[in-house]
Amino acid sequence: MSGAAGCQGGGGGGDDYRGPRWRKPWKLLALGLLSASSVLAAAPGAGAMSKEEKRQLGNQVLEMFDHAYSNYMEHAYPADELMPLTCRGRVRGQEPSRGDVDDALGKFSLTLIDTLDTLVVLNKTKEFEEAVKKVIKDVNLDNDIVVSVFETNIRVLGGLLGGHSVAIMLKEKGEYMQWYNSELLHMAKELGYKLLPAFNTTSGLPYPRVNLKFGIRHPEARTGTETDTCTACAGTLILEFAALSRFTGTSIFEEYARKALDFIWEKRQRSSNLVGVTINIHTGDWVRKDSGVGAGIDSYYEYLLKAYVLLGDDSFLERFNTHYNAIMRYISQPPLLLDVHIHKPMLNARTWMDSLLAFFPGLQVLKGDIRPAIETHEMLYQVIKKHNFLPEAFTTDFRVHWAQHPLRPEFAESTYFLYKATGDPYYLEVGKTLIENLNKYARVPCGFAAMKDVRTGSHEDRMDSFFLAEMFKYLYLLFADKEDMIFDIEDYIFTTEAHLLPLWLSTTNQTIAKKNTTTEYTELDDSNFDWTCPNTQILFPNDPMFAQSIREPLKNVVDKSCPRGISRAEESLGSGPKPPLRARDFMASNPEHLEILKKMGVSLIHLKDGRVQLVQHAVQAASSLDAEDGLRFMQEMIELSSQQQKEQQLPPRAVQIVSHPFFGRVVLTAGPAQFGMDLSKHKAGTRGFVATIKPYNGCSEITNPEAVKEKIALMQRGHCMFAEKARNIQKAGAIGGIVIDDNEGSSSDTAPLFQMAGDGKNTDDITIPMLFLFNKEGNIILDAIREYEAVEVLLSDKAKDRDLEMENMDQKLSENDSHKQNSEEAASAFQDVGEVSEEPEEEERSDVIDPDSLAPANAGSDSISISNQDSYVPEPDEASAPEPTCTQGDNQPQEQKTETESNSKVNWDNKVQPMESILADWNEDIEAFEMMEKDEL
């Protein structure tokens, strides 16, 4: 989520920190950061980027924004979002459901509303004026559709308010928007009233969803039965609702948002001062008791600090500082930020981090705690340099946990704030890297596509509205000088969606008496309150290399050998007693080990299939310390079991279409083979034109060898063993093979990948590479052949750098003409090119019998199933399991299905192509919650 514009929260500290500070906060809030230019002037030796290069990078950001925005307007508007691979709009109900992620869509032109104030920040005032007119004329907020209260608030209500804020600013300047009469504010008020029914609970916490037309309890509402919501969902309302109240003079919105925040504060865990991820909206009981600064909680903390900035209420600052002290005591393990249990905060709740926590360094800058902000940001940057983007989740040893990246802006946000705080040109170089990676790996003809898998470079057919609302805003501000802006950004605070709210709202329509309702504070060191926003004169006295000195020890943190993280419990024990039994040492046949398990409350059950199941009942442990040892043992066993299962699998491969008009932009996820060329050991991969064989199943001698020779053969799955198909096409002269699934509609989106096994015989005679594509991915290649005849692909273990293709684009275009006349002549021009990094990744097989072996055996018990031997169910034309491999590559947990690119059919010639369906089942919220519930014991 987003931060605040510039530094909007400066301030004094001292012993009497609870008293009123500022009489005119909208003026005094400016005292935080010095401008970046002044810091650079004080540090001429810091290797500053030239003004000309900054200007060029700013212009490049503008061009990228134009590419994304114009394609949305041309191909998607008035739909909520653009589908950049198929060049069309995403309309809810007309596309396959993606679960909760679709709750952001309300048939209200989401992307346009979310982008309004971005247009003004980027000096596109004419486009802004046209966009506002379209919103007023076209957008309907009275749709019979169930939407997320959280997403609708931050994106739509916030977008309307941000648009209104800059509209009245432009009108006051006298050149633009002279016709404007608060129409966006009227729409915001209408929407605010439509969200209010969600607050009809005894606690004051809102329902997570509401029907825009029928509210909550109406028979046709189709919602109102939920019992839980996330902390961020209920605690990220105060800025938008308070701004709506201050703009309109209607106090009810701010009252409801304050009541929700008050309730969460009162329900915090009193001994740790932490909050959980999920809370019951009726009882206030914590449903998910893990606590961190990422998904589910993130913007709750952000809005406490910013509510203090915008509204001037000291109670919000005091709450934030209380929580922040707990975060730094328990969750912060520099440079990591690891979730803990709210009741046992010395015990880590999981061993991975999600990408949403990338906002936290920016929030720490506003708080004034600069050192940990620099450390965490640098760690995240090292992960990005390894994978080009920040994976949705990654482990403590920096391996991929969830491989997706939906073009999130949080890291760009923190980069902007760190540059504002330090003036260090290093952060300009970081921003330059972000721009290059977006253009190189995410840019497609109709916009920018989310990454389905950061390891293979495969795409997903989505471009979320926050990409336009936030990413380009932060990147442009990073490179813009003050004279490049048409207004002073320091007069505004950013919401979590980077929408602009003016600071003068703090003294406008104060319909609620400002009073301190916060009680039962933990007495904290006064230094925690000294600087709520950093001042470079204080932070970096006579030391322009301060930030670099903090970053330097972390330069190689990701590339070093994978470290084993030390839990807070172990750290607190020091050299004292360690857990009596480690998971890696456990033997089910050792009576002494079984006795130790019993002492820890862990029982062992032998299953009929040869596995043993471990179940922990904490109440049966000999003591509370033994129960905690048992909990740690179970966590270790889950990790160990998942790792052992993963180590027996080969990573996915990539099929990249490199011929005109694709030029490497279409990357399909493919399953590997246990035989033939190992693509991970051949950096160049295998490149060639594709040809369909006869017979299509490849189970007998190929009858069209002249069409297959020196080409990559396409064949259908079934009727014989994979190895037999490979031998037949190799004999016909093929340089590689792609087996396409015969199961209609199958896709890597909905099924885990598996590897093609041999036939039980020696397969050393097979020397060509063989890959497997599901039906949907395979049809993309077949459709391309029907459209363009000559289609060239690259088989590799990872998508190659597409810049090599773009450099030879003109040559390829001319070659394609000759290919259409004589494809055999074109075959003589084949060559293997491209570099693929030799970094194995591990994926889930489709033939593992027990994918849920790590799930709890019954409610209220902690359990794990451990296989004594690996069991597989071979497909009719597949053999048994592969040889185990040991790798330092990227892992995903066993519960996480392979999430790699199916790359739905591309819109060639800029025309919408018909498709059977678009499979986009990935749902970040549900998946995150399900995965963390499996991690939680």
Side-chain angles (χ1 to χ4, degrees):
M1 298 303 170
S2 304
C7 168
Q8 311 300 359
D15 296 334
D16 190 22
Y17 61 82
R18 296 187 186 181
R21 267 180 204 80
W22 300 330
R23 299 298 181 187
K24 296 183 178 180
W26 70 96
K27 292 183 179 180
L28 297 181
L29 288 172
L31 86 95
L33 298 172
L34 293 180
S35 69
S37 58
S38 65
V39 179
L40 291 175
M49 180 180 288
S50 70
K51 193 165 185 176
E52 176 60 23
E53 186 176 2
K54 284 181 63 179
R55 185 187 63 80
Q56 291 176 355
L57 288 169
N59 289 337
Q60 193 171 355
V61 173
L62 293 176
E63 185 278 329
M64 293 166 65
F65 172 83
D66 288 340
H67 177 67
Y69 180 71
S70 62
N71 273 287
Y72 166 75
M73 296 304 295
E74 179 180 351
H75 298 292
Y77 181 80
D80 283 317
E81 289 180 343
L82 170 68
M83 299 171 68
L85 297 182
T86 50
C87 300
R88 56 180 176 154
R90 183 180 297 279
V91 179
R92 194 166 171 188
Q94 296 182 14
E95 303 293 336
S97 173
R98 301 177 298 171
D100 283 1
V101 72
D102 280 341
D103 287 344
L105 312 180
K107 297 182 179 179
F108 34 38
S109 301
L110 173 63
T111 297
L112 183 60
I113 292 178
D114 219 1
T115 309
L116 288 177
D117 52 7
T118 302
L119 290 166
V120 178
V121 172
L122 273 56
N123 299 335
K124 297 183 178 295
T125 49
K126 291 183 179 179
E127 291 89 340
F128 171 73
E129 192 156 5
E130 294 171 1
V132 172
K133 290 178 180 178
K134 285 182 180 294
V135 169
I136 295 170
K137 176 177 176 289
D138 298 339
V139 172
N140 176 26
L141 299 173
D142 194 39
N143 299 312
D144 179 11
I145 193 167
V146 176
V147 298
S148 162
V149 173
F150 168 75
E151 297 289 355
T152 304
N153 171 66
I154 65 171
R155 299 203 207 187
V156 186
L157 183 58
L160 292 171
L161 292 171
H164 172 70
S165 298
V166 294
I168 58 177
M169 177 271 296
L170 290 174
K171 183 177 181 179
E172 184 178 343
K173 287 180 176 293
E175 184 176 355
Y176 296 99
M177 304 299 293
Q178 295 306 300
W179 54 270
Y180 181 70
N181 193 27
S182 298
E183 287 87 352
L184 294 179
L185 181 59
H186 299 323
M187 294 178 69
K189 188 174 182 180
E190 177 189 356
L191 181 60
Y193 277 120
K194 289 183 176 296
L195 296 179
L196 285 185
F199 292 83
N200 191 13
T201 61
T202 54
S203 66
L205 299 178
Y207 283 95
R209 300 173 188 84
V210 67
N211 188 300
L212 289 178
K213 189 177 185 70
F214 298 109
I216 292 291
R217 305 209 171 167
H218 193 280
E220 299 181 58
R222 304 186 306 283
T223 189
T225 59
E226 303 94 337
T227 58
D228 307 334
T229 192
C230 71
T231 301
C233 300
T236 311
L237 299 160
I238 186 64
L239 292 188
E240 292 84 0
F241 273 48
L244 183 56
S245 288
R246 302 297 175 95
F247 271 129
T248 64
T250 305
S251 64
I252 188 172
F253 305 109
E254 185 173 344
E255 291 170 359
Y256 276 42
R258 280 178 177 264
K259 183 179 179 183
L261 274 181
D262 290 345
F263 189 83
I264 294 174
W265 169 255
E266 292 301 324
K267 290 298 180 179
R268 75 194 185 283
Q269 212 291 321
R270 299 304 175 97
S271 61
S272 66
N273 281 318
L274 295 172
V275 294
V277 174
T278 311
I279 190 171
N280 186 296
I281 59 177
H282 303 296
T283 66
D285 295 332
W286 291 110
V287 180
R288 286 270 314 284
K289 299 180 179 65
D290 44 319
S291 183
V293 297
I297 302 179
D298 48 2
S299 50
Y300 162 68
Y301 295 133
E302 177 187 359
Y303 269 36
L304 285 178
L305 180 57
K306 292 181 180 177
Y308 164 65
V309 172
L310 183 64
L311 306 178
D313 189 334
D314 290 340
S315 66
F316 291 128
L317 177 63
E318 290 162 346
R319 294 180 192 184
F320 171 80
N321 280 327
T322 301
H323 284 313
Y324 187 79
N325 184 70
I327 291 169
M328 299 310 292
R329 177 177 297 177
Y330 303 120
I331 295 171
S332 176
Q333 302 178 36
L336 309 180
L337 292 163
L338 292 176
D339 284 21
V340 299
H341 295 276
I342 59 175
H343 297 288
K344 296 180 179 180
M346 301 300 289
L347 188 64
N348 290 337
R350 62 190 191 192
T351 57
W352 49 272
M353 295 164 280
D354 66 74
S355 63
L356 285 172
L357 62 77
F359 91 101
F360 197 67
L363 189 64
Q364 289 180 305
V365 169
L366 295 179
K367 159 67 182 167
D369 201 358
I370 200 76
R371 177 180 289 273
I374 293 173
E375 292 173 337
T376 299
H377 180 275
E378 181 62 24
M379 177 270 294
L380 295 171
Y381 185 43
Q382 297 301 322
V383 175
I384 288 174
K385 288 201 290 187
K386 180 178 181 180
H387 300 294
N388 300 320
F389 297 98
L390 198 60
E392 276 294 79
F394 54 93
T395 62
T396 53
D397 50 7
F398 310 111
R399 292 177 291 178
V400 171
H401 188 69
W402 299 336
Q404 307 88 351
H405 174 75
L407 307 182
R408 294 197 183 279
E410 284 77 16
F411 181 78
E413 166 195 349
S414 288
T415 303
Y416 164 64
F417 283 108
L418 275 168
Y419 179 64
K420 290 285 288 183
T422 66
D424 191 333
Y426 175 83
Y427 296 109
L428 296 177
E429 296 296 334
V430 173
K432 181 179 179 179
T433 300
L434 298 182
I435 291 173
E436 291 173 347
N437 288 350
L438 284 171
N439 277 322
K440 185 180 293 186
Y441 303 110
R443 186 167 183 146
V444 294
C446 286
F448 291 84
M451 307 306 296
K452 176 62 77 86
D453 192 313
V454 298
R455 298 161 301 186
T456 64
S458 54
H459 289 135
E460 187 173 2
D461 200 6
R462 63 183 290 191
M463 188 180 80
D464 292 83
S465 68
F466 55 69
F467 182 60
L468 285 165
E470 301 184 65
M471 180 68 82
F472 295 114
K473 196 175 290 178
Y474 288 125
L475 288 178
Y476 182 76
L477 289 171
L478 177 64
F479 296 105
D481 291 323
K482 193 166 186 178
E483 56 267 25
D484 297 326
M485 304 291 297
I486 62 174
F487 66 100
D488 189 352
I489 197 72
E490 306 292 349
D491 290 338
Y492 296 83
I493 187 169
F494 281 145
T495 69
T496 196
E497 191 78 2
H499 293 306
L500 300 176
L501 298 177
L503 292 172
W504 53 258
L505 288 175
S506 59
T507 56
T508 301
N509 289 326
Q510 291 180 304
T511 53
I512 299 176
K514 186 170 69 175
K515 57 182 180 180
N516 190 337
T517 59
T518 307
T519 57
E520 300 183 38
Y521 288 103
T522 302
E523 289 299 326
L524 306 174
D525 187 335
D526 286 340
S527 64
N528 193 49
F529 298 85
D530 282 348
W531 295 95
T532 59
C533 186
N535 185 311
T536 49
Q537 290 177 322
I538 302 297
L539 290 172
F540 314 118
N542 302 317
D543 187 6
M545 303 299 288
F546 177 83
Q548 181 178 339
S549 67
I550 298 174
R551 290 193 304 266
E552 198 61 37
L554 302 170
K555 284 293 185 184
N556 300 313
V557 66
V558 172
D559 294 328
K560 288 180 180 177
S561 58
C562 300
R564 186 189 72 82
I566 300 176
S567 71
R568 278 305 178 95
E570 291 179 80
E571 183 181 3
S572 64
L573 289 171
S575 59
K578 295 292 189 286
L581 180 63
R582 304 303 300 268
R584 61 176 177 266
D585 302 324
F586 171 68
M587 295 180 60
S589 59
N590 188 322
E592 183 180 348
H593 288 184
L594 298 181
E595 189 62 31
I596 296 174
L597 291 187
K598 183 178 179 181
K599 184 179 179 183
M600 295 189 298
V602 179
S603 57
L604 182 145
I605 304 171
H606 290 274
L607 303 178
K608 293 181 180 179
D609 59 6
R611 295 177 301 138
V612 294
Q613 185 177 70
L614 300 178
V615 183
Q616 186 196 28
H617 300 275
V619 294
Q620 297 179 5
S623 68
S624 60
L625 288 177
D626 290 317
E628 189 165 322
D629 287 341
L631 181 63
R632 189 180 301 109
F633 173 82
M634 296 293 285
Q635 288 178 306
E636 290 179 356
M637 188 59 74
I638 288 176
E639 227 177 305
L640 180 63
S641 178
S642 177
Q643 180 181 351
Q644 288 174 343
Q645 291 175 8
K646 294 300 179 185
E647 286 178 350
Q648 300 181 29
Q649 302 156 35
L650 294 175
R653 307 303 187 202
V655 176
Q656 191 171 12
I657 306 179
V658 297
S659 54
H660 170 76
F662 309 98
F663 300 110
R665 294 190 181 278
V666 175
V667 183
L668 308 175
T669 295
Q674 295 178 19
F675 52 84
M677 178 191 294
D678 184 353
L679 291 170
S680 68
K681 297 178 180 178
H682 292 77
K683 291 186 177 182
T686 296
R687 177 172 177 162
F689 286 84
V690 294
T692 304
I693 64 172
K694 296 178 182 179
Y696 190 32
N697 58 34
C699 292
S700 59
E701 185 175 350
I702 306 303
T703 60
N704 61 335
E706 70 286 346
V708 176
K709 187 176 181 181
E710 297 299 321
K711 295 186 179 179
I712 295 174
L714 299 178
M715 68 211 78
Q716 189 177 47
R717 178 185 180 183
H719 303 288
C720 64
M721 304 295 284
F722 290 131
E724 184 177 347
K725 298 175 188 286
R727 290 188 178 99
N728 288 334
I729 64 170
Q730 181 173 287
K731 183 178 179 181
I735 60 173
I738 298 175
V739 179
I740 299 176
D741 193 9
D742 58 349
N743 182 16
E744 188 69 27
S746 65
S747 170
S748 64
D749 277 341
T750 55
L753 291 181
F754 61 88
Q755 50 202 14
M756 297 184 289
D759 53 5
K761 305 173 185 177
N762 189 313
T763 56
D764 291 344
D765 59 313
I766 303 175
T767 59
I768 61 174
M770 293 289 291
L771 296 181
F772 178 89
L773 289 179
F774 281 107
N775 183 264
K776 196 166 189 64
E777 287 85 347
N779 280 337
I780 291 176
I781 293 181
L782 296 176
D783 289 341
I785 293 175
R786 285 190 285 270
E787 184 79 15
Y788 295 103
E789 298 181 12
V791 174
E792 189 179 13
V793 302
L794 172 68
L795 311 184
S796 63
D797 74 331
K798 192 174 183 180
K800 65 183 283 293
D801 191 340
R802 294 163 210 172
D803 278 356
L804 297 177
E805 296 299 332
M806 301 309 294
E807 290 173 7
N808 298 317
M809 181 182 294
D810 294 337
Q811 178 184 350
K812 296 290 183 183
L813 287 171
S814 61
E815 287 177 355
N816 273 332
D817 293 334
S818 62
H819 292 328
K820 292 184 178 181
Q821 298 171 4
N822 189 341
S823 60
E824 290 186 6
E825 180 181 336
S828 65
F830 288 172
Q831 55 182 345
D832 292 336
V833 298
E835 292 188 4
V836 183
S837 65
E838 204 165 334
E839 180 188 324
E841 292 88 23
E842 300 167 343
E843 294 291 341
E844 189 173 35
R845 283 176 53 108
S846 63
D847 51 3
V848 176
I849 271 183
D850 188 18
D852 297 320
S853 63
L854 302 183
N858 52 65
S861 300
D862 302 315
S863 67
I864 177 173
S865 299
I866 308 163
S867 298
N868 289 333
Q869 59 184 9
D870 298 312
S871 302
Y872 298 96
V873 180
E875 294 289 335
D877 50 355
E878 297 171 28
S880 58
E883 291 295 320
T885 59
C886 185
T887 177
Q888 287 286 327
D890 299 328
N891 289 341
Q892 283 179 276
Q894 181 67 23
E895 303 96 329
Q896 171 77 1
K897 290 189 175 181
T898 304
E899 290 286 354
T900 43
E901 173 65 24
S902 70
N903 247 4
S904 303
K905 192 183 301 178
V906 177
N907 178 21
W908 304 311
D909 291 338
N910 291 327
K911 297 179 181 177
V912 176
Q913 299 290 325
M915 301 181 65
E916 295 176 6
S917 63
I918 302 296
L919 296 177
D921 295 328
W922 175 68
N923 183 312
E924 60 196 19
D925 294 324
I926 284 183
E927 200 166 84
F929 291 166
E930 289 178 350
M931 290 292 296
M932 288 193 291
E933 283 172 350
K934 289 180 180 180
D935 285 345
E936 183 183 6
L937 300 178

